[in-house]
Amino acid sequence: MEKLSSIGQLEWFRNKILSRRQEGIIEVHVCMTGCRAYGAAGVLEALNDEVKSQGLSKQVEVRATGCHGFCAKAPVVAIEPMGVQYQEVEPDDAGEIVVKTLKENQLIDRLAYHTPKTFQPVFYRNQIPFYAKQERRVLANCGRIDPTNIEHYIAAGGYQALIKALSKMAPEQVIDEVQAAKLRGRGGAGFPTGLKWKFARQSEGRPKYVVCNADEGDPGAFMDRAILEGDPHAVVEGMLLGAYAMGSEYGFIYVREEYPIAIEHLNIAIAQANELGLLGENILGSGFNFDLSLRLGAGAFVCGEETALMASIEGQRGMPRARPPFPAQAGIDGKPTNINNVETWANVPLIVKKGAGWYGEVGTADSRGTKIFSLAGKVNNTGLVEVPIGTTVKEVIYDIGGGIPKGRQFKAVQMGGPAGGCVPAQFLNLSIDYDTVQRIGAIMGSGGMVVMDENNCMVEIARFFLSFTQSESCGKCAPCRLGTTQLLEILTRITLGEGRMEDIDTIRELGNTLTEASLCGLGQACPKPALSTLKYFLKEYEDHIKEHRCAGAVCDSMVISACQHACPAGIDVPNYVAAVADGEYERSVDIIRERNPFPAVCGRICIHPCEYKCRRGELDQPVAIRALKRVASDWYFKNIGPQRDPFPVIRKQKIAVVGAGPAGLTCAYFLAKMGYQTTVFEAQPVAGGMLGIAVPEFRLPRQVIEEEIQYIENCGVEIRYNSPIDAKHTFNDLLNEGYSAVFIAAGAQASKRIGIPGEDENLEGLYYGLDFLSKVRMGQQVPLNGKTVVIGGGNVAVDVARTALRSGAQDVQIFCLEPRDEMPAWEKDVEEAIEEGIVINPEASPSDITQEGGRITGIEFTHCVCVFDDEGCFNPTCDLEDTRVVEADNIIISIGQAADMSFLSADSQLERALWGALVVNTNTLATNVPGVFAGGDFTTGPTFVIRAISSGRRAAIAINKYLTGDDSPVYIPDEKSVRHTATKLALAEETTEDQPRIEVEFEDAKERVCDFREVEKGFTEQEACREATRCLRCDLEKEENGI
Amino acid sequence: MQPPEIDLTKLDAIIDRHKTGKWQLIPLLQDVQETFGYVPPETIEPIAQALNLFPSQVQGVVTFYSGFSLKPKGKYVCRVCRGTACHVKGSRSILRLMKQELGLEEGETSPDYQFTLETVACLGACFLAPTMMINRDYFGKLSPTKMTSVLGEYRKKGSE
């Protein structure tokens, strides 16, 4: 290429390039930067070969480009001008792409993106949800042009900004434009770029330097990499403009050596720019000189800090120094230096070319423009995302990112790398900009967003970041050098189960010292991950220290197998699954009963936290643990039944339990097992608590509950029915009657009221959920004809709706506040309800109930825009203009339950919290009255049955300690069952065949609504055996390694 | 086994390339690292002399940056990424497996100088977590089986 010596010549050159572009040529863009790691080179070659062999070389151009952004689906191939995007392309697909799509204009289904729920193919890039909310300004050229050919950049409008500046703008005007655009540094600190440039311009020293910080060291960040590899000239042009504005003649791009492709493309870009005379002396005849060269990092994260970076350029150890003087006054070699991040530089040509006005059309008031985020971790659509500043966290992670894989729960997103903090679920509605994120203890940082789900441990994440910063600390200043080591040691101890409660305050103290006293940003910011996780996940730290529990089931020292650890009751899951595989159902139930006396109930309705942590689920799908439990217990009750000998009574104390629900009966069972005489006082004529009242017959048949209760009674537990504990017979009376301890497990059975106009309990046709379910269960008739509206989005509401359908209501519709995918109800139940014909109306907030002559006629709903506020508190906001009135004959309100404290007389000594709930010690479940304990739904509010069961067992252990004078804390670690089966299950056979999870069968949807038959059919013995052998026996891993 | 022999006469050419020009110490060392696979300790004094620095200054720079090694590395340098995204997606078990398969701890080189095992803070390929780099090639979405097959290929390559 010939050197261009004037602006006019550049324009001539550009015109020639554009004219050479033929009409109607098809371009195939193959990403050859990030996608190379997934075989893109082979795809490129195959496509080239295929085009040639099909004789299409004149009509088709196969181009190696930069990043398309949708990295999760690498390798990505885009076809223009059709706008088609194919993904996960393999070299073998080349033939079909060329012949079918390029030649015959046919689209290939299996190479297209498919929407997750409906599996519909989306062929056109601008329709793919991942791209819909993005605004790709800085990344506009990435994925379209060949970054190794400067002509492409020029043809796409490149270097027009440079021309504009050199011909029409004085250097100060360039700075003014950048200031007007309110561009803030994209490297993390967010300092106003224009202002920084002004300082550099005003400095006296010569020569002046401009530097590009391309040392993207933040783990989890790869935005700069994509720009450098996919559109390097954007950075070159940006630096040219900056140098012109500030009066600099020398520029350095400091790029980390771990980015070989970026280095290669930058070298090519600089060489080509030099060749054309866009770099060097007398650029385009303007008299402006600019020499740009590369400097490679040598593997030190701290060199991303500007003073350390400058030291590194000077060939020294990369250690930061104090500021002032700031680089703008005295930088490299003591001369004025301006350092900006890659993305900041890449924004500059856009600002100069299109003006600050255009630039400011997106963004927030203080932070204009777009920001590129690298989305990674536990999210479906990992890749590069460019959105206007001010987009919410939820939009990035769910709308663009496609949510969390495998239906797991979002836990937190780490923003800003090791200098940033964790943003937990309560802040999903936060709009992302420099200031909002800082307020909650994180930083927007360079743009790395690493998503974490329920299977990550926040303590371990904090430790992970500290281990990184500790090893990268340069060692110059004591706070950082010593502080990081100490913090790391403390966090490591906590993950090893050796933490102490004082550690929490120590972490805070050390963190503050580091923040205040460290020399540079690395030390100042490195405590942030620890401090922010401590702030939002304090319970996890405390659980690690006090109870040796790891919420993510990650910390090896506390976890034998993730499933057992996830179970609130700590059931030895792998063992009983292995017993099922061997057909030893009695042994399986025995193992379960060591922690849980309700195997048959849980086998039907447990929320199975174990399955969400099942490691098999990482491979394909989790083992169907709950269904296996059901097979074993059904067999047990069919072949052995509830008979058994009672436990021997070996203690003299007797204990009273209030409430024969799951918590109360579990407590009684374990107390009996320990040899105590236990009596359960139940107000109702039947036992079972919520199980019998609220869970419908079609999910949990009455017979199953009765058999389990009979078994517990046969163990020696006495249940007195129709014996309420209330003002006539108080718990004090119980203590006086000779009971040495009392466990109150009265459940949470009072229905919550909404509190809207027209909500009159006496209205005909108005019911409350729990009340309604209880009546139906008792066999009472509830007249429900016509249209039935159910209000609520939780499990009880869904059960209510399905029960209503079976009780004569012809038309049942659910109305809830939440959007469909945020309904708190168990997804499985919601889907079964929809199958049965129930209509779900999300985002509806009830506002007024209408009646006529004492009978319901209808109900008005307003559109609920948002359920939780910025801080994550329950604070529904509604659009009062958007209302609709729905005709209804019956309304069943099912918005939640609370504990009914009315049975405790008002002056009882039991200590209550401000809001009326009972205060209990979380470890021992003891109240302030000696000998009186409380637990289950009664103290926690409505929760899952397995939690109530584990609460009951904890109470039994605590009561036993109390009665034997043992005041050590209750400690319930995971334990292996004595009856240990050594079957290796899945690992025993080498098989390359797929072994997907066996799905349980259901009764036909149309037929099952006619009565209350059990909806889920359960496994056959054969199916159970096959499913159980999928278990990986994670519990044996440690034994094998001699731990 | 003895580390592969190095031709120290190449050093002169490297020094010549970087003798003039400002602040050339790090680019020079990078050149040496690239050519010999490490920075042989015996090169420190000639480099110091050529650039008019104290040997201790050169030593200081070599030991500060993890990109420089004073010990020879293997033919295939395996860098397992320990970045956040990879960590969140299970890089710990990949590293554990690599250690088992190669029989090496982090930073160690195999006695036959075929493999070196290292960890790196972040490779910038987070969307393909967990990742690993062997020399200049990236491998993403690693699973235990994939990892073993990749290693197997390199073992074969090495013995050819």
Side-chain angles (χ1 to χ4, degrees):
Chain A
M1 292 183 294
E2 261 191 51
K3 196 160 177 152
L4 305 164
S5 51
S6 74
I7 290 176
Q9 284 190 359
L10 176 53
E11 293 294 3
W12 188 265
F13 188 57
R14 189 197 314 275
N15 291 337
K16 268 179 78 179
I17 299 172
L18 288 170
S19 74
R20 266 189 268 130
R21 293 265 157 114
Q22 281 159 293
E23 286 289 320
I25 210 174
I26 299 177
E27 293 173 12
V28 180
H29 299 156
V30 182
C31 166
M32 276 289 282
T33 55
C35 295
R36 236 193 261 193
Y38 225 49
V43 174
L44 183 73
E45 201 184 318
L47 281 166
N48 263 317
D49 288 342
E50 198 60 41
V51 164
K52 232 190 276 180
S53 73
Q54 292 284 329
L56 291 169
S57 303
K58 288 232 157 83
Q59 295 104 302
V60 176
E61 180 197 338
V62 178
R63 187 187 290 181
T65 65
C67 179
H68 294 283
F70 206 173
C71 312
K73 307 290 183 189
V76 173
V77 173
I79 303 176
E80 299 288 347
M82 286 166 92
V84 167
Q85 183 162 300
Y86 287 140
Q87 57 185 39
E88 293 173 311
V89 178
E90 297 186 8
D92 289 339
D93 297 323
E96 203 176 336
I97 294 177
V98 173
V99 171
K100 275 225 176 99
T101 309
L102 301 184
K103 251 185 159 165
E104 298 167 7
N105 257 318
Q106 276 183 25
L107 302 169
I108 304 170
D109 196 287
R110 67 172 169 44
L111 293 177
Y113 174 77
H114 285 81
T115 48
K117 289 231 162 107
T118 53
F119 295 118
Q120 290 302 311
V122 181
F123 297 102
Y124 298 96
R125 171 200 286 223
N126 56 8
Q127 289 171 2
I128 298 177
F130 178 74
Y131 291 104
K133 286 208 166 172
Q134 292 193 48
E135 173 107 17
R136 287 170 70 90
R137 290 178 159 193
V138 178
L139 291 175
N141 285 335
C142 270
R144 289 182 180 267
I145 64 170
D146 178 352
T148 60
N149 188 344
I150 193 174
E151 293 188 6
H152 284 216
Y153 184 71
I154 293 175
Y159 291 111
Q160 271 177 353
L162 179 66
I163 290 177
K164 185 173 172 187
L166 291 179
S167 60
K168 296 202 189 101
M169 296 168 83
E172 290 84 359
Q173 281 176 292
V174 177
I175 297 183
D176 287 341
E177 197 73 30
V178 173
Q179 270 192 299
K182 293 206 178 177
L183 173 65
R184 288 169 73 162
R186 297 285 192 261
F191 191 84
T193 310
L195 190 58
K196 198 149 93 164
W197 285 20
K198 213 180 202 162
F199 292 148
R201 174 148 194 98
Q202 286 164 352
S203 286
E204 298 275 322
R206 291 282 183 285
K208 292 191 190 169
Y209 297 99
V210 290
V211 176
C212 173
N213 184 344
D215 190 52
E216 188 175 55
D218 270 2
F222 51 97
M223 308 73 56
D224 293 350
R225 181 185 141 125
I227 298 176
L228 294 170
E229 293 179 355
D231 195 8
H233 285 282
V235 176
V236 174
E237 191 178 358
M239 291 181 79
L240 272 164
L241 289 162
Y244 174 71
M246 291 177 259
S248 153
E249 293 193 349
Y250 295 99
F252 292 105
I253 302 182
Y254 186 89
V255 59
R256 59 191 304 233
E257 57 153 10
E258 291 93 332
Y259 280 177
I261 304 179
I263 296 171
E264 185 190 327
H265 289 192
L266 278 168
N267 274 322
I268 295 174
I270 293 175
Q272 289 182 346
N274 265 303
E275 203 181 319
L276 274 184
L278 291 166
L279 286 170
E281 306 211 343
N282 196 13
I283 295 174
L284 297 178
S286 62
F288 166 52
N289 308 330
F290 186 55
D291 171 79
L292 184 60
S293 61
L294 231 55
R295 279 287 188 273
L296 303 187
F301 171 73
V302 69
C303 287
E305 194 276 338
E306 61 179 8
T307 57
L309 191 156
M310 293 191 295
S312 185
I313 289 182
E314 292 177 21
Q316 297 170 27
R317 289 156 68 85
M319 287 182 157
R321 58 157 173 78
R323 292 169 297 174
F326 288 91
Q329 281 90 37
I332 298 179
D333 207 19
K335 305 290 185 206
T337 307
N338 178 79
I339 304 174
N340 276 125
N341 163 269
V342 170
E343 196 182 335
T344 313
W345 285 120
N347 269 281
V348 173
L350 295 171
I351 292 174
V352 172
K353 181 162 145 195
K354 298 205 181 169
W358 167 88
Y359 188 78
E361 278 169 17
V362 300
T364 61
D366 292 314
S367 320
R368 294 279 157 81
T370 56
K371 176 81 190 80
I372 305 176
F373 292 99
S374 55
L375 202 51
K378 303 284 189 73
V379 67
N380 276 313
N381 302 336
T382 53
L384 282 184
V385 172
E386 184 175 356
V387 290
I389 297 184
T391 307
T392 64
V393 177
K394 189 151 135 211
E395 283 175 294
V396 175
I397 296 180
Y398 286 93
D399 298 342
I400 298 175
I404 319 294
K406 296 191 192 273
R408 303 225 173 104
Q409 280 257 17
F410 169 76
K411 193 166 192 179
V413 58
Q414 215 283 338
M415 291 187 70
C422 290
V423 178
Q426 70 207 71
F427 294 115
L428 276 173
N429 287 327
L430 189 74
S431 78
I432 309 175
D433 82 33
Y434 292 98
D435 307 310
T436 56
V437 180
Q438 218 168 13
R439 265 203 299 265
I440 58 167
I443 60 167
M444 198 159 87
S446 57
M449 285 176 78
V450 181
V451 183
M452 297 169 217
D453 68 11
E454 57 188 278
N455 291 353
N456 289 110
C457 170
M458 300 316 285
V459 183
E460 209 286 321
I461 294 283
R463 186 209 64 83
F464 165 79
F465 277 117
L466 247 315
S467 84
F468 173 75
T469 32
Q470 193 269 341
S471 79
E472 296 289 342
S473 164
C474 78
K476 184 167 175 184
C477 73
C480 180
R481 182 176 74 242
L482 302 174
T484 50
T485 311
Q486 288 305 314
L487 272 178
L488 176 61
E489 193 259 345
I490 295 173
L491 288 166
T492 308
R493 261 195 302 106
I494 298 180
T495 57
L496 289 176
E498 295 163 22
R500 307 182 277 264
M501 281 310 281
E502 314 86 80
D503 288 336
I504 294 183
D505 282 331
T506 312
I507 293 175
R508 291 199 182 111
E509 230 185 277
L510 273 175
N512 284 334
T513 308
L514 275 158
T515 310
E516 288 175 11
S518 298
L519 180 59
C520 83
L522 190 152
Q524 287 156 10
C526 75
K528 273 210 170 74
L531 292 175
S532 89
T533 50
L534 204 54
K535 181 170 171 190
Y536 298 115
F537 297 97
L538 180 59
K539 184 150 196 312
E540 277 195 42
Y541 281 84
E542 289 177 343
D543 281 348
H544 273 75
I545 296 173
K546 290 201 288 202
E547 309 264 349
H548 288 180
R549 288 215 70 82
C550 173
V554 164
C555 294
D556 278 342
S557 61
M558 311 176 184
V559 175
I560 305 177
S561 63
C563 48
Q564 181 173 9
H565 201 79
C567 176
I571 302 176
D572 187 353
V573 176
N575 253 334
Y576 85 71
V577 168
V580 170
D582 284 340
E584 302 195 31
Y585 298 114
E586 187 181 351
R587 181 174 292 196
S588 180
V589 173
D590 283 342
I591 295 174
I592 298 169
R593 284 209 177 109
E594 287 186 12
R595 297 291 177 126
N596 174 6
F598 286 97
V601 167
C602 292
R604 283 164 168 79
I605 65 168
C606 186
I607 193 84
H608 56 71
C610 50
E611 291 188 26
Y612 287 106
K613 296 257 188 301
C614 175
R615 292 285 181 255
R616 179 79 201 209
E618 300 293 328
L619 236 61
D620 41 39
Q621 298 93 23
V623 174
I625 301 171
R626 177 181 64 81
L628 292 174
K629 191 195 253 101
R630 177 181 161 174
V631 163
S633 37
D634 281 356
W635 181 97
Y636 185 94
F637 280 110
K638 183 157 154 220
N639 293 284
I640 302 181
Q643 311 87 279
R644 60 156 292 147
D645 292 328
F647 290 120
V649 176
I650 54 176
R651 316 259 189 185
K652 46 183 168 53
Q653 298 109 324
K654 48 180 190 153
I655 300 158
V657 172
V658 178
L665 288 177
T666 303
C667 179
Y669 170 82
F670 284 107
L671 282 171
K673 192 167 175 189
M674 286 188 254
Y676 292 98
Q677 207 182 316
T678 319
T679 310
V680 182
F681 293 86
E682 171 55 52
Q684 301 290 328
V686 286
M690 279 291 265
L691 297 176
I693 296 174
V695 185
E697 179 77 16
F698 54 82
R699 285 213 294 134
L700 181 61
R702 182 80 220 168
Q703 193 198 347
V704 172
I705 307 175
E706 278 179 6
E707 281 179 329
E708 301 247 71
I709 294 175
Q710 260 175 52
Y711 179 87
I712 293 175
E713 280 183 300
N714 290 340
C715 288
V717 170
E718 182 198 350
I719 305 181
R720 291 198 201 157
Y721 298 93
N722 297 308
S723 312
I725 301 299
D726 51 22
K728 290 193 225 120
H729 189 194
T730 66
F731 67 83
N732 264 319
D733 292 336
L734 289 171
L735 290 171
N736 291 332
E737 284 165 28
Y739 289 101
S740 312
V742 179
F743 179 54
I744 307 179
Q749 288 157 22
S751 291
K752 281 195 190 154
R753 305 277 179 269
I754 311 178
I756 50 172
E759 186 181 356
D760 179 359
E761 279 170 50
N762 298 319
L763 270 183
E764 235 186 283
L766 183 65
Y767 303 96
Y768 284 89
L770 222 47
D771 213 40
F772 165 71
L773 286 175
S774 154
K775 284 202 170 71
V776 172
R777 269 298 198 136
M778 296 292 185
Q780 289 178 25
Q781 275 285 59
V782 183
L784 274 188
N785 37 2
K787 301 188 189 54
T788 305
V789 162
V790 175
I791 301 178
N795 279 312
V796 179
V798 176
D799 281 341
V800 163
R802 295 172 78 186
T803 303
L805 206 58
R806 289 163 170 76
S807 306
Q810 286 103 345
D811 197 354
V812 179
Q813 300 202 17
I814 292 180
F815 290 81
C816 61
L817 287 175
E818 301 84 359
R820 167 72 181 87
D821 51 14
E822 281 174 38
M823 284 174 74
W826 202 359
E827 182 61 26
K828 168 178 171 299
D829 286 345
V830 177
E831 282 172 11
E832 284 172 26
I834 295 177
E835 264 177 33
E836 290 169 7
I838 293 171
V839 177
I840 315 270
N841 299 286
E843 298 181 34
S845 174
S847 41
D848 195 352
I849 297 178
T850 55
Q851 52 107 341
E852 202 179 287
R855 220 197 181 277
I856 299 241
T857 51
I859 174 167
E860 184 190 67
F861 288 100
T862 12
H863 180 208
C864 178
V865 172
C866 204
V867 181
F868 295 95
D869 61 17
D870 256 5
E871 305 282 308
C873 303
F874 182 76
N875 195 0
T877 38
C878 300
D879 180 0
L880 295 169
E881 307 286 313
D882 189 355
T883 63
R884 55 182 158 145
V885 176
V886 166
E887 223 180 66
D889 301 296
N890 306 292
I891 299 177
I892 311 181
I893 298 176
S894 195
I895 57 167
Q897 294 76 244
D900 185 353
M901 307 275 244
S902 58
F903 72 94
L904 297 170
S905 39
D907 64 336
S908 84
Q909 310 128 285
L910 283 174
E911 188 184 343
R912 301 179 198 233
L914 279 171
W915 49 91
L918 217 54
V919 171
V920 288
N921 179 308
T922 44
N923 180 269
T924 59
L925 301 182
T927 63
N928 60 314
V929 176
V932 179
F933 298 77
D937 281 9
F938 184 65
T939 52
T940 61
T943 178
F944 306 115
V945 70
I946 190 65
R947 292 237 161 81
I949 290 170
S950 82
S951 174
R953 180 161 181 268
R954 176 177 286 266
I957 296 174
I959 290 175
N960 179 47
K961 277 185 184 265
Y962 166 71
L963 293 175
T964 52
D966 177 356
D967 53 13
S968 63
V970 171
Y971 178 55
I972 311 181
D974 292 346
E975 280 162 350
K976 292 308 294 179
S977 202
V978 174
R979 294 175 213 79
H980 179 133
T981 27
T983 323
K984 300 268 284 242
L985 301 178
L987 301 173
E989 303 169 14
E990 290 265 337
T991 167
T992 46
E993 266 177 33
D994 276 344
Q995 248 193 311
R997 171 173 160 135
I998 300 176
E999 295 298 335
V1000 244
E1001 277 188 31
F1002 289 86
E1003 297 278 345
D1004 172 69
K1006 281 208 190 60
E1007 288 183 32
R1008 71 193 191 216
V1009 295
C1010 302
D1011 55 34
F1012 281 84
R1013 74 182 80 165
E1014 204 172 347
V1015 166
E1016 195 184 286
K1017 279 191 180 160
F1019 282 149
T1020 62
E1021 281 185 30
Q1022 225 188 2
E1023 287 172 332
C1025 178
R1026 266 174 42 219
E1027 180 61 21
T1029 38
R1030 289 177 68 242
C1031 170
L1032 296 173
R1033 288 311 300 259
C1034 306
D1035 60 327
L1036 295 180
E1037 192 185 286
K1038 284 202 180 141
E1039 292 191 18
E1040 293 191 327
N1041 295 340
I1043 299 170
Chain B
M1 213 181 100
Q2 282 298 324
E5 295 263 334
I6 47 167
D7 180 5
L8 276 171
T9 58
K10 287 197 186 144
L11 180 63
D12 297 325
I14 297 174
I15 290 181
D16 273 339
R17 276 203 289 276
H18 295 275
K19 237 191 342 214
T20 51
K22 275 181 148 179
W23 311 311
Q24 287 295 312
L25 175 59
I26 291 180
L28 196 164
L29 287 170
Q30 283 167 333
D31 215 340
V32 170
Q33 173 83 29
E34 178 75 30
T35 309
F36 297 121
Y38 69 115
V39 179
E42 52 269 36
T43 60
I44 291 184
E45 279 202 46
I47 291 173
Q49 221 181 14
L51 294 182
N52 210 6
L53 295 166
F54 289 111
S56 63
Q57 283 173 299
V58 179
Q59 175 96 355
V61 169
V62 173
T63 51
F64 182 85
Y65 294 96
S66 64
F68 300 130
S69 170
L70 285 165
K71 288 197 293 228
K73 292 202 185 168
K75 186 165 166 196
Y76 301 116
V77 180
C78 309
R79 293 154 129 179
V80 178
C81 181
R82 57 174 171 88
T84 321
C86 292
H87 178 82
V88 153
K89 285 216 132 175
S91 63
R92 256 192 330 175
S93 32
I94 301 288
L95 181 60
R96 206 183 317 160
L97 265 156
M98 284 292 280
K99 285 184 180 175
Q100 254 180 332
E101 285 273 343
L102 292 171
L104 297 171
E105 280 301 319
E106 266 175 67
E108 285 184 1
T109 303
S110 59
D112 60 1
Y113 288 94
Q114 284 284 67
F115 290 100
T116 301
L117 179 62
E118 289 178 354
T119 57
V120 73
C122 177
L123 289 173
C126 319
F127 52 90
L128 290 179
T131 55
M132 169 170 82
M133 230 173 132
I134 301 188
N135 290 356
R136 288 252 156 100
D137 295 316
Y138 291 92
F139 300 94
K141 292 197 187 153
L142 288 173
S143 65
T145 21
K146 186 159 180 205
M147 205 207 72
T148 342
S149 82
V150 166
L151 261 186
E153 277 179 39
Y154 276 89
R155 280 208 171 99
K156 237 181 24 182
K157 257 205 273 192
S159 59
E160 279 162 14

